[in-house]
Amino acid sequence: MDSHAAIIEKLNRLRRERGALVLAHSYQPAEVQDVADLVGDSLELSRAAAKNDSARLVLFCGVNFMAETAAILRPDRPVHVPDPNAGCPLANMITPRELADVRREHPGAVVVAYVNTSAEIKAASDICCTSANAAQVVRSVPADREIIFIPDRNLGDWVQQQAGRGDMIIWRGFCPTHNRIMERDVREARAAHPGAPVVVHPECRPEVRALAEEIASTSGMVRFCRESPAREFIIGTEVGMVYRLEKECPGKRFWPATELADCPNMKLTTLEKVLWELQDLAHPVKLDPAVAAAARRPLEKMVEVLGA
Ligand code: CIZ
Protein backbone atom coordinates (compact mmCIF):
# COMPACT_ATOMS: atom_id res chain seq x y z
CA MET A 1 0.00 0.00 0.00
CA ASP A 2 1.41 3.46 -0.87
CA SER A 3 1.75 6.08 1.85
CA HIS A 4 -1.26 8.12 0.63
CA ALA A 5 -3.52 5.06 0.75
CA ALA A 6 -2.11 4.15 4.20
CA ILE A 7 -2.93 7.64 5.53
CA ILE A 8 -6.48 7.44 4.18
CA GLU A 9 -6.98 4.01 5.73
CA LYS A 10 -5.79 5.19 9.18
CA LEU A 11 -7.79 8.39 8.91
CA ASN A 12 -10.99 6.49 8.08
CA ARG A 13 -10.47 4.06 10.95
CA LEU A 14 -9.85 6.89 13.42
CA ARG A 15 -12.78 9.03 12.29
CA ARG A 16 -15.06 6.01 12.87
CA GLU A 17 -13.56 5.33 16.32
CA ARG A 18 -13.82 8.99 17.30
CA GLY A 19 -17.29 9.51 15.81
CA ALA A 20 -15.85 12.52 13.96
CA LEU A 21 -17.62 14.64 11.38
CA VAL A 22 -14.95 15.97 8.97
CA LEU A 23 -15.87 19.25 7.28
CA ALA A 24 -13.87 20.99 4.55
CA HIS A 25 -14.27 24.49 3.17
CA SER A 26 -14.33 24.87 -0.64
CA TYR A 27 -10.90 26.55 -0.51
CA GLN A 28 -9.19 23.51 1.04
CA PRO A 29 -6.62 21.45 -0.89
CA ALA A 30 -8.13 18.75 -3.12
CA GLU A 31 -6.86 15.86 -0.96
CA VAL A 32 -8.62 17.35 2.09
CA GLN A 33 -11.88 17.98 0.20
CA ASP A 34 -11.74 14.33 -0.90
CA VAL A 35 -11.79 12.94 2.67
CA ALA A 36 -14.45 15.31 4.02
CA ASP A 37 -17.97 14.24 4.93
CA LEU A 38 -19.12 17.58 3.56
CA VAL A 39 -17.56 20.40 1.48
CA GLY A 40 -19.20 23.81 1.50
CA ASP A 41 -19.08 27.43 2.57
CA SER A 42 -18.38 28.31 6.19
CA LEU A 43 -21.97 28.80 7.26
CA GLU A 44 -23.36 25.79 5.38
CA LEU A 45 -20.75 23.66 7.15
CA SER A 46 -21.37 25.15 10.59
CA ARG A 47 -25.12 24.75 10.26
CA ALA A 48 -24.77 21.19 9.01
CA ALA A 49 -22.55 20.46 12.02
CA ALA A 50 -25.07 22.05 14.39
CA LYS A 51 -27.88 19.89 12.98
CA ASN A 52 -25.89 16.64 13.14
CA ASP A 53 -26.67 14.82 16.40
CA SER A 54 -24.72 11.63 15.82
CA ALA A 55 -21.14 12.98 15.60
CA ARG A 56 -19.15 13.09 18.85
CA LEU A 57 -16.68 15.66 17.54
CA VAL A 58 -16.28 17.98 14.58
CA LEU A 59 -12.99 18.38 12.71
CA PHE A 60 -13.22 21.63 10.76
CA CYS A 61 -10.75 22.01 7.88
CA GLY A 62 -10.73 25.68 6.94
CA VAL A 63 -9.56 28.78 8.82
CA ASN A 64 -10.12 29.56 12.48
CA PHE A 65 -13.18 31.84 12.30
CA MET A 66 -15.04 29.03 10.51
CA ALA A 67 -14.32 26.48 13.23
CA GLU A 68 -15.26 29.11 15.82
CA THR A 69 -18.62 29.59 14.10
CA ALA A 70 -19.27 25.84 14.30
CA ALA A 71 -18.37 25.91 18.03
CA ILE A 72 -20.60 28.97 18.62
CA LEU A 73 -23.61 27.30 17.01
CA ARG A 74 -23.14 24.02 18.86
CA PRO A 75 -21.28 24.66 22.14
CA ASP A 76 -22.00 21.20 23.61
CA ARG A 77 -19.63 19.34 21.30
CA PRO A 78 -15.88 19.69 20.72
CA VAL A 79 -14.73 21.29 17.49
CA HIS A 80 -11.14 20.63 16.44
CA VAL A 81 -8.87 22.11 13.77
CA PRO A 82 -5.95 20.41 12.01
CA ASP A 83 -3.70 23.50 12.36
CA PRO A 84 -4.43 26.31 14.84
CA ASN A 85 -2.18 28.66 12.84
CA ALA A 86 -4.74 28.83 10.04
CA GLY A 87 -5.94 32.37 10.72
CA CYS A 88 -7.74 34.77 8.40
CA PRO A 89 -6.01 38.10 7.67
CA LEU A 90 -9.37 39.65 6.71
CA ALA A 91 -10.91 38.64 10.06
CA ASN A 92 -7.88 40.21 11.81
CA MET A 93 -8.35 43.56 10.04
CA ILE A 94 -10.74 44.89 12.66
CA THR A 95 -10.16 44.73 16.40
CA PRO A 96 -12.80 44.99 19.15
CA ARG A 97 -11.40 48.40 20.08
CA GLU A 98 -11.67 49.69 16.50
CA LEU A 99 -15.25 48.43 16.32
CA ALA A 100 -16.08 50.14 19.62
CA ASP A 101 -14.57 53.40 18.27
CA VAL A 102 -16.57 53.35 15.04
CA ARG A 103 -19.73 52.53 16.99
CA ARG A 104 -19.09 55.55 19.22
CA GLU A 105 -18.74 57.75 16.14
CA HIS A 106 -22.09 56.45 14.80
CA PRO A 107 -24.36 55.90 17.77
CA GLY A 108 -27.55 54.12 16.75
CA ALA A 109 -25.94 52.44 13.72
CA VAL A 110 -26.55 48.74 13.06
CA VAL A 111 -23.34 46.71 12.79
CA VAL A 112 -23.54 44.11 10.02
CA ALA A 113 -20.62 41.68 10.36
CA TYR A 114 -19.54 39.35 7.59
CA VAL A 115 -19.05 35.87 9.07
CA ASN A 116 -15.33 36.28 8.32
CA THR A 117 -14.79 37.82 11.75
CA SER A 118 -13.55 36.58 15.10
CA ALA A 119 -15.95 35.48 17.84
CA GLU A 120 -15.15 38.70 19.78
CA ILE A 121 -16.14 40.84 16.82
CA LYS A 122 -19.34 38.86 16.23
CA ALA A 123 -20.14 39.28 19.92
CA ALA A 124 -19.94 43.07 19.50
CA SER A 125 -22.08 43.13 16.31
CA ASP A 126 -25.83 43.26 15.70
CA ILE A 127 -26.30 40.87 12.82
CA CYS A 128 -24.07 38.59 10.73
CA CYS A 129 -24.15 37.94 7.02
CA THR A 130 -22.39 35.74 4.50
CA SER A 131 -21.50 36.70 0.95
CA ALA A 132 -24.53 34.63 -0.14
CA ASN A 133 -27.04 36.62 1.91
CA ALA A 134 -25.35 39.99 2.63
CA ALA A 135 -27.69 42.03 0.40
CA GLN A 136 -30.78 40.46 1.98
CA VAL A 137 -29.43 41.13 5.48
CA VAL A 138 -28.61 44.76 4.64
CA ARG A 139 -32.08 45.27 3.10
CA SER A 140 -33.60 44.09 6.38
CA VAL A 141 -32.13 47.10 8.24
CA PRO A 142 -34.69 49.93 8.52
CA ALA A 143 -33.92 52.79 6.10
CA ASP A 144 -33.62 55.31 8.93
CA ARG A 145 -30.77 53.41 10.64
CA GLU A 146 -27.13 53.86 9.66
CA ILE A 147 -25.24 50.67 8.77
CA ILE A 148 -21.65 49.91 9.73
CA PHE A 149 -20.51 47.08 7.48
CA ILE A 150 -17.43 45.12 8.61
CA PRO A 151 -14.76 44.04 7.77
CA ASP A 152 -14.54 43.68 3.94
CA ARG A 153 -14.61 46.84 1.82
CA ASN A 154 -15.11 45.02 -1.47
CA LEU A 155 -18.06 42.96 -0.26
CA GLY A 156 -19.43 46.10 1.44
CA ASP A 157 -19.17 48.11 -1.78
CA TRP A 158 -20.94 45.39 -3.79
CA VAL A 159 -23.64 44.92 -1.16
CA GLN A 160 -24.45 48.59 -0.96
CA GLN A 161 -25.02 48.61 -4.74
CA GLN A 162 -27.16 45.45 -4.55
CA ALA A 163 -29.21 46.67 -1.63
CA GLY A 164 -29.45 50.29 -2.81
CA ARG A 165 -27.94 51.61 0.45
CA GLY A 166 -25.42 54.19 -0.71
CA ASP A 167 -24.94 55.49 2.82
CA MET A 168 -23.19 52.53 4.46
CA ILE A 169 -20.10 53.04 6.59
CA ILE A 170 -17.77 50.39 5.19
CA TRP A 171 -14.72 49.16 7.09
CA ARG A 172 -11.45 49.15 5.16
CA GLY A 173 -10.52 45.43 5.43
CA PHE A 174 -9.91 43.17 2.47
CA CYS A 175 -8.96 39.60 1.70
CA PRO A 176 -5.32 39.55 0.51
CA THR A 177 -6.00 36.45 -1.60
CA HIS A 178 -8.97 37.93 -3.48
CA ASN A 179 -7.12 41.22 -3.80
CA ARG A 180 -4.42 39.39 -5.73
CA ILE A 181 -6.83 38.87 -8.63
CA MET A 182 -6.23 41.79 -11.01
CA GLU A 183 -8.15 43.21 -13.96
CA ARG A 184 -5.25 42.17 -16.21
CA ASP A 185 -5.61 38.53 -15.07
CA VAL A 186 -9.27 38.48 -16.05
CA ARG A 187 -8.56 40.06 -19.44
CA GLU A 188 -5.79 37.54 -20.14
CA ALA A 189 -7.95 34.59 -19.03
CA ARG A 190 -10.77 35.83 -21.30
CA ALA A 191 -8.38 36.03 -24.26
CA ALA A 192 -7.17 32.48 -23.54
CA HIS A 193 -10.73 31.09 -23.10
CA PRO A 194 -13.02 33.15 -25.31
CA GLY A 195 -16.72 32.76 -24.53
CA ALA A 196 -16.14 31.38 -21.02
CA PRO A 197 -18.24 33.39 -18.52
CA VAL A 198 -16.23 35.14 -15.81
CA VAL A 199 -17.55 34.29 -12.34
CA VAL A 200 -16.02 36.19 -9.44
CA HIS A 201 -16.44 36.47 -5.68
CA PRO A 202 -17.72 39.77 -4.20
CA GLU A 203 -14.50 40.01 -2.16
CA CYS A 204 -12.73 40.85 -5.45
CA ARG A 205 -11.69 44.40 -6.34
CA PRO A 206 -14.43 46.56 -7.96
CA GLU A 207 -12.58 46.71 -11.31
CA VAL A 208 -12.45 42.89 -11.38
CA ARG A 209 -16.13 42.60 -10.48
CA ALA A 210 -16.93 45.06 -13.29
CA LEU A 211 -15.58 42.56 -15.84
CA ALA A 212 -17.61 39.59 -14.57
CA GLU A 213 -20.74 38.01 -16.00
CA GLU A 214 -21.62 36.71 -12.52
CA ILE A 215 -20.69 37.82 -8.99
CA ALA A 216 -21.44 35.14 -6.45
CA SER A 217 -20.53 33.53 -3.14
CA THR A 218 -18.94 30.08 -3.34
CA SER A 219 -22.35 28.36 -2.99
CA GLY A 220 -23.73 30.76 -5.65
CA MET A 221 -20.84 29.86 -7.97
CA VAL A 222 -21.69 26.16 -7.75
CA ARG A 223 -25.34 26.90 -8.56
CA PHE A 224 -24.51 29.28 -11.44
CA CYS A 225 -21.99 26.95 -13.10
CA ARG A 226 -24.25 23.90 -12.69
CA GLU A 227 -27.23 25.66 -14.27
CA SER A 228 -25.39 27.59 -16.99
CA PRO A 229 -25.34 26.10 -20.50
CA ALA A 230 -21.67 27.19 -20.81
CA ARG A 231 -19.05 24.41 -20.79
CA GLU A 232 -16.07 26.51 -19.57
CA PHE A 233 -15.80 29.18 -16.89
CA ILE A 234 -13.16 31.60 -15.59
CA ILE A 235 -13.23 31.57 -11.79
CA GLY A 236 -12.16 34.58 -9.72
CA THR A 237 -11.82 33.33 -6.17
CA GLU A 238 -9.44 31.20 -4.10
CA VAL A 239 -8.05 28.47 -6.39
CA GLY A 240 -9.32 25.55 -4.26
CA MET A 241 -12.80 26.37 -5.57
CA VAL A 242 -11.85 25.11 -9.02
CA TYR A 243 -11.50 21.56 -7.67
CA ARG A 244 -14.91 21.72 -5.98
CA LEU A 245 -16.53 23.01 -9.18
CA GLU A 246 -14.89 20.27 -11.26
CA LYS A 247 -16.33 17.66 -8.91
CA GLU A 248 -19.80 19.20 -8.72
CA CYS A 249 -20.14 20.03 -12.43
CA PRO A 250 -18.76 16.98 -14.25
CA GLY A 251 -17.93 17.52 -17.93
CA LYS A 252 -17.38 21.29 -17.49
CA ARG A 253 -13.99 23.05 -17.36
CA PHE A 254 -12.89 25.71 -14.91
CA TRP A 255 -9.94 28.10 -15.28
CA PRO A 256 -8.71 30.15 -12.33
CA ALA A 257 -8.48 33.86 -13.17
CA THR A 258 -5.01 33.57 -11.62
CA GLU A 259 -3.18 30.72 -9.89
CA LEU A 260 -1.86 33.35 -7.47
CA ALA A 261 -5.19 33.49 -5.61
CA ASP A 262 -3.92 30.73 -3.35
CA CYS A 263 -4.68 31.32 0.35
CA PRO A 264 -1.64 30.30 2.42
CA ASN A 265 -3.78 29.80 5.52
CA MET A 266 -6.22 27.48 3.80
CA LYS A 267 -3.27 25.48 2.52
CA LEU A 268 -1.87 24.92 6.02
CA THR A 269 -4.23 21.95 6.26
CA THR A 270 -2.80 18.74 4.87
CA LEU A 271 -4.02 15.16 4.93
CA GLU A 272 -1.31 14.34 7.48
CA LYS A 273 -2.52 17.10 9.82
CA VAL A 274 -6.10 15.83 9.52
CA LEU A 275 -4.86 12.38 10.54
CA TRP A 276 -2.70 13.73 13.40
CA GLU A 277 -5.60 15.72 14.82
CA LEU A 278 -7.80 12.63 14.80
CA GLN A 279 -5.00 10.79 16.60
CA ASP A 280 -3.93 13.43 19.13
CA LEU A 281 -6.95 15.75 19.52
CA ALA A 282 -4.40 18.47 20.24
CA HIS A 283 -6.21 21.51 18.82
CA PRO A 284 -9.72 22.03 20.20
CA VAL A 285 -11.37 25.40 19.55
CA LYS A 286 -11.48 27.24 22.88
CA LEU A 287 -13.96 30.06 23.33
CA ASP A 288 -14.95 32.04 26.39
CA PRO A 289 -18.56 30.84 27.01
CA ALA A 290 -19.78 34.43 27.50
CA VAL A 291 -18.21 35.52 24.19
CA ALA A 292 -19.64 32.46 22.42
CA ALA A 293 -23.13 33.18 23.79
CA ALA A 294 -22.92 36.83 22.71
CA ALA A 295 -21.58 35.83 19.28
CA ARG A 296 -24.50 33.42 18.77
CA ARG A 297 -27.03 36.29 18.86
CA PRO A 298 -26.02 38.02 15.57
CA LEU A 299 -25.81 34.63 13.86
CA GLU A 300 -29.32 33.75 15.05
CA LYS A 301 -30.54 37.19 13.99
CA MET A 302 -29.25 36.50 10.46
CA VAL A 303 -31.08 33.17 10.35
CA GLU A 304 -34.25 34.90 11.60
CA VAL A 305 -34.04 37.58 8.86
CA LEU A 306 -33.55 34.96 6.18
CA GLY A 307 -36.46 32.94 7.50
CA ALA A 308 -34.22 29.89 7.12
O1 CIZ B 1 -17.99 32.11 4.13
C1 CIZ B 1 -17.35 31.49 3.29
O2 CIZ B 1 -17.35 30.30 3.22
C2 CIZ B 1 -16.47 32.25 2.36
C3 CIZ B 1 -15.18 32.63 2.90
C4 CIZ B 1 -16.82 32.58 1.14
C5 CIZ B 1 -18.07 32.18 0.45
O3 CIZ B 1 -18.47 32.90 -0.48
O4 CIZ B 1 -18.64 31.15 0.73
Side-chain angles (χ1 to χ4, degrees), residues 25 27 40-43 65-66 114-116 130-131 201 203 216-219:
H25 190 267
Y27 297 160
D41 71 32
S42 62
L43 196 74
F65 80 82
M66 300 178 173
Y114 189 24
V115 282
N116 296 36
T130 68
S131 44
H201 196 272
E203 286 177 37
S217 65
T218 54
S219 51

Side-chain angles (χ1 to χ4, degrees), residues 202-280:
E203 286 177 37
C204 288
R205 296 165 181 271
E207 61 272 26
V208 167
R209 294 199 313 268
L211 294 176
E213 271 74 35
E214 179 70 7
I215 300 167
S217 65
T218 54
S219 51
M221 284 184 180
V222 173
R223 219 171 15 253
F224 176 82
C225 296
R226 209 185 267 146
E227 288 167 10
S228 165
R231 310 302 300 165
E232 293 190 49
F233 303 83
I234 294 160
I235 302 298
T237 190
E238 208 282 340
V239 289
M241 189 64 201
V242 166
Y243 184 69
R244 178 167 176 211
L245 286 166
E246 283 167 351
K247 276 183 95 170
E248 300 219 13
C249 309
K252 296 190 175 184
R253 299 196 74 177
F254 299 92
W255 308 101
T258 168
E259 297 280 356
L260 297 180
D262 192 358
C263 171
N265 289 290
M266 283 285 175
K267 301 304 157 24
L268 284 176
T269 308
T270 61
L271 211 48
E272 287 81 358
K273 289 183 194 171
V274 175
L275 172 64
W276 296 335
E277 190 57 26
L278 286 169
Q279 272 173 347
D280 304 338

